[in-house]
Amino acid sequence: QVQLVESGGGLVQAGGSLRLSCAASGRTFSSYAMGWFRQAPGKEREFVAAISWSGGSVYYADADSVKGRFTISRDNAKNTGYLQMDSLKLEDTAVYYCAAKDTLGLGGSSWFQYDYWGQGTQVTVSS
């Protein structure tokens, strides 16, 4: 098993940046693909980005939502994954979750494809 703890959320003005971290413990982090999801009040949890175990493959939610503004990465030596969020918009306000899947490929874009979840970190973008 792997345990995940997100950090780095907070309040930021529109146009600003935040970097979320996902610290992993337990089994070897590099054995897992990782993903980031978010959930706004009253909405379903939605996919943001995913990265393979090695970091060699990444993909993002549809272009209009986060692609080009968010960057997913990982540092297996530090057992940590990251989500760099730039040019934040009001609609990016949500609880952000990291997730892990025991696979050598990518984890997928559906929440049920992942095996482990963090507790979430709140990101609030103000005008």
Side-chain angles (χ1 to χ4, degrees), residues 2-6 22-25 29 34-35 98-100 116-120:
V2 65
Q3 292 77 44
L4 305 173
V5 178
E6 302 95 335
C22 176
S25 60
F29 180 57
M34 194 184 76
C98 68
Y116 305 100
W117 291 84
Q119 83 291 348

Side-chain angles (χ1 to χ4, degrees), residues 32-34 50-58 74 76 103-107:
Y32 294 86
M34 194 184 76
I51 188 167
S52 62
W53 69 274
S54 66
S57 297
V58 300
R74 65 190 297 162
N76 288 339
T103 178
L104 295 181
L106 285 164

Side-chain angles (χ1 to χ4, degrees), residues 57-98:
S57 297
V58 300
Y59 75 102
Y60 298 90
D62 290 343
D64 289 343
S65 58
V66 303
K67 196 172 183 179
R69 300 188 297 121
F70 291 8
T71 304
I72 189 172
S73 63
R74 65 190 297 162
D75 185 341
N76 288 339
K78 296 182 178 180
N79 291 333
T80 303
Y82 304 97
L83 184 68
Q84 176 68 40
M85 305 186 296
D86 299 317
S87 302
L88 283 162
K89 304 177 181 180
L90 298 179
E91 53 264 41
D92 294 320
T93 295
V95 177
Y96 283 72
Y97 298 89
C98 68

Side-chain angles (χ1 to χ4, degrees), residues 17 25 32 34 36-37 39 41 44 47 52 64 73 107 110 114 122-123 125 127:
S17 298
S25 60
Y32 294 86
M34 194 184 76
W36 285 94
F37 289 76
Q39 187 165 20
E44 294 185 350
F47 170 72
S52 62
D64 289 343
S73 63
S110 298
Y114 289 81
Q122 177 70 48
V123 171
V125 183
S127 58

